[in-house]
Amino acid sequence: MREAETETEPIAVIGVYARTPGAGDDLDAFWHMVAEGREAVTALSDAEPVAEGATTAPAVGSRSDRVARRGVLADIGQFDAEAFGMPPREAELTDPQHRLLLEAAWVLLERAGHGTGGGRDGRAGGRVGVFAGAGLNYYLLRHILTDPSIEQAEGLLPLVLANDRDHLAAKIAYRLGLTGPAMTVQTACSTSLVAVHQGVRALRGRDADLVLAGGVSVELPQDEGYSVTSGSVLSHSGRCRPFQTGRDGSVPGNGLGLVALRRLGDALADNDTVLAVIRGSAVNNDGGDKAGYTAPGFAGQVDVLRTAYRDAGVDPATVGYLEGHGTGTEVGDDIELAALAEVFTRDGEDEPLPLGSVKANIGNPGAAAGVIGLIKTVLALRHGVLPPLVGAGDDAAADDLPDGFLLDPAARPWATEPGVPRRAGVSSYGMGGTNSHVVVEEFRPSRPGPEEDLAAALIPLSAREEEGVLRYRDALAAHVAARPGRVGDAARTFTSGRRRFPVRLGAVLTPDGLARESLQDAPRRAPRKTPPIVWAFGGQEAGVRGVLAGLYPRYAVVRDRVEQVLAHLGEEDGTRIRAVLLDETDRAAPSAELDQVGLYITQLAMADLLTFLGVAPAAVLGHGIGEYTAACLAGEFPAVAGADLLANPVPEGAESLALKPPALPVVSACTGRAVDQRKGRDPGFWAAGPPQPVRFPDAARTLTDMVKGALVVEIGPGRSLSDLLRPHIRDDGLYDVLPMLPATGLVSFLTQLGRLWSAGARVDLERANGADGYRRVPLPTYPFDRRLHWIDAPRPGAPAPAARQSGNGSLASTEAEAEAGTLSLVLRAWEETLGLRDIEPDADLYMLGGDSFTLVRLAVRLSRSCGLEIPARNLLGVDLTPRAMADLIDEMTNGTQGEASRP
């Protein structure tokens, strides 16, 4: 078969996430395990219990039909519910497979540089789709439904929503705000690779612009071995040895895999990191052409392979590695090998085709097996290494291994042919006959990025809590120290590919690492409502030498304003002022008047820059020279007129000004009052020239009265006005005061811009960094604060749990509760439903992480506690607070629930 032209669009793999036994979610550790040919199946024993969440139980497996080995996934009960806006109780009730996949989706989007999730409005990434599946829900069967009190307290619907596989993909879309198709895929062991195929089709059909595809499998309990019966597909030896002599089946192995996919053209246009390219894929079913429902089918496997390579438009002979399904069963491997030999014919002179299977490393992770094999293959292509097969060797290959295939006992370099990229095939076959195959090849970039790196960039770090931001900062610092990359790439990734959270810290990154001065601040919680901005312009206390040296070359808006005013002043004066502003020390210093003009120009340029970055003022404050800047920016006179007044302080010039009333509120430090926005100022005010007597305390009071809770930004060099205004920061005064240039240089400006963003100002960080042409690259992701959310399974021999009752069925189940009244009992229902303590009577359900799903659970709990029907729609008719709900219940019972509903 020749290389063929294909009309199908290649699909870029722009990110991968794997969580496996032996490596956790550390992708480097996973690759090293694979490349070194290590097995991560755990030998279970009483002396070595395995954690299930954070609790353990003695291992079993001492009977002759038990094998005390399996692939164990660590910390499956740990989850950051708050990060996803999920109440703790809801997290406890949710299948850990759902939780793990939800977290993986978040992390993967951030690794790919698309953490904002796209949307319907044309943002980068566009509509994000989810195609994923999960294994059997052992948590629901063995941990939740075995305790009747849980269903009695919560109701069946909430348990279904929290655990049923129908809601797996849709809940990821809901929690992360993804607007593409969200579909659960279930085809047994081929689930996750079929999900990849569906994602490829969704991208080619323009149903989505970015796709997350994969699967998860968590078998419980993890600290027990497994039983082996006659005819079982499970291994008696406790080892999975695909395609090898003595193979006797699979070993249960938990795991999770997820890939992020985009159309290759979109990925290249958006400067994504492309890890590999999917050239084609196919899915089919054996139908009835096999020995039985659970048996594999030769004809179906041959057909899916040939269809995949027709879709890819490539010759199977160009494939250099095959990641097989490889369960290690005698029948399954024999049929798979026969199908491979039928399609991948090799001439006598061709190199043998290496076969592998990740199941030899980690056991069989069921619904996640195919995508984990794909991730392994993507990493092999990325590293240019052919991975070994665990247990392979000269005497390990099966007697019936077809000619032209080999099992590598050790990793080796993956050779290439001129003009032909490295290619691989990945197979996954599901019990029941759904077969899948994906053709993947290496990506060889042809378009270089920008030649020059950014001198510095503002990296916005944010989380829900302060400790999280500090962990984020430390992780980023460690990453850039260990793996120095381009500042522009990091800036692009963080500013356009990460969500924003209330607790913030702006870190400035340079080619030498994180700038020390930007790391001295503690994280800050931004207010819910953006504070109004006031620009404050000061006098001449600080010098202007070099003040624009870092900003002039970086921002065109700064250059334009500087050159506009300098051109008006003439070449000689303009050259002298420019030399000072840019610290060109071989130039002569200007006169005192021109030095004042330099400050004026600096303030104008900085104001233009902040406007460009989205930091527009609600009012301005002028002091000394800053009176001129404030007036100009408020529209009282043109920029060049202010320069003339300062360069030629002649009263007659001021009298001839065509003044206008200010277009926005202006507070004058000279008068201590606001300028009349209808009449404006008398020209005589400017004839006096600077400096003039000031009434700054009056001006501060005027400002705080005029703009409540203002965030004052001092524009210009130094911090004199900031120090004067700082005593006015209080609940009924200013919100905060920030100088924008307390020191010269780009790093200082970006540091202050980060503090402005942390204080709650809306700042266009993408414009601030100017990193559009740089790449989205893998960098540290959100610092989850994982905590245990787990319901223990009943222990064998333990008495059955008693159903949780509310006494005699009335809301007041105890005398103490009856005396406390309805509100106390409603608060208890809230705490049990949400899994929180010390809820306030006027707390809002949504602010505590609740949603309509939580409201349904709350209605069920209240109904059963009260002994009367309280539909969720009735609760929607009142404020979603405990107090309002208590009042509603009292109304429904004619007040018989107690007079003491208000403490």
Side-chain angles (χ1 to χ4, degrees), residues 49-50 52 55-60 223 795:
V50 179
E52 197 77 81
T55 60
T56 61
V60 285
D223 53 4
R795 294 300 177 191

Side-chain angles (χ1 to χ4, degrees), residues 464-534:
R464 291 187 179 272
E465 299 297 338
E466 181 174 341
E467 287 302 316
V469 178
L470 294 176
R471 290 197 305 273
Y472 219 164
R473 179 199 64 188
D474 294 344
L476 179 61
H479 180 91
V480 298
R483 301 179 180 180
R486 299 208 302 179
V487 172
D489 293 343
R492 174 76 190 285
T493 301
F494 268 90
T495 54
S496 64
R498 298 293 166 90
R499 285 176 167 82
R500 304 287 182 255
F501 295 96
V503 182
R504 301 175 174 181
L505 177 66
V508 177
L509 180 64
T510 73
D512 296 325
L514 293 179
R516 182 178 302 176
E517 64 188 273
S518 72
L519 302 179
Q520 296 173 348
D521 293 343
R524 178 166 183 174
R525 183 175 294 275
R528 292 179 184 172
K529 184 178 180 181
T530 302
I533 302 296
V534 169

Side-chain angles (χ1 to χ4, degrees), residues 285-305:
N285 193 275
D286 294 329
D289 188 14
K290 55 183 179 178
Y293 177 74
T294 62
F298 169 77
Q301 292 186 20
V302 169
D303 178 69
V304 81
L305 292 169

Side-chain angles (χ1 to χ4, degrees), residues 492-648:
R492 174 76 190 285
T493 301
F494 268 90
T495 54
S496 64
R498 298 293 166 90
R499 285 176 167 82
R500 304 287 182 255
F501 295 96
V503 182
R504 301 175 174 181
L505 177 66
V508 177
L509 180 64
T510 73
D512 296 325
L514 293 179
R516 182 178 302 176
E517 64 188 273
S518 72
L519 302 179
Q520 296 173 348
D521 293 343
R524 178 166 183 174
R525 183 175 294 275
R528 292 179 184 172
K529 184 178 180 181
T530 302
I533 302 296
V534 169
W535 286 349
F537 302 95
Q540 207 169 347
E541 293 81 356
V544 294
R545 177 167 293 278
V547 71
L548 295 181
L551 305 181
Y552 182 93
R554 173 74 165 255
Y555 300 108
V557 66
V558 171
R559 295 194 299 274
D560 291 346
R561 176 63 85 178
V562 170
E563 295 306 321
Q564 176 212 8
V565 180
L566 294 185
H568 174 74
L569 294 175
E571 182 177 357
E572 181 178 352
D573 288 344
T575 299
R576 294 167 64 190
I577 294 174
R578 185 187 300 105
V580 173
L581 296 181
L582 304 184
D583 198 18
E584 297 171 352
T585 54
D586 56 333
R587 303 285 186 178
S591 64
E593 289 78 14
L594 292 184
D595 200 45
Q596 292 178 351
V597 177
L599 176 60
Y600 172 73
I601 293 172
T602 296
Q603 291 175 339
L604 287 178
M606 288 291 299
D608 287 352
L609 177 55
L610 287 180
T611 301
F612 174 71
L613 298 180
V615 189
V620 293
L621 167 68
H623 176 279
I625 303 298
E627 294 270 14
Y628 293 75
T629 315
C632 171
L633 292 168
E636 295 185 60
F637 50 70
V640 295
D644 285 340
L645 284 174
L646 289 165
N648 307 284

Side-chain angles (χ1 to χ4, degrees), residues 59 65 76 122 172 304 321 376 383 477 493 495 509 555 568 572 597 688 748 776 788 847 849 872:
D65 64 340
I76 60 172
I172 292 174
V304 81
Y321 172 76
K376 167 191 168 182
H383 288 88
T493 301
T495 54
L509 180 64
Y555 300 108
H568 174 74
E572 181 178 352
V597 177
S748 178
R776 303 173 191 264
L788 182 64
M847 296 306 299

Side-chain angles (χ1 to χ4, degrees), residues 130 348 400 630 643 787 795:
V130 183
D400 55 355
R787 300 178 185 180
R795 294 300 177 191

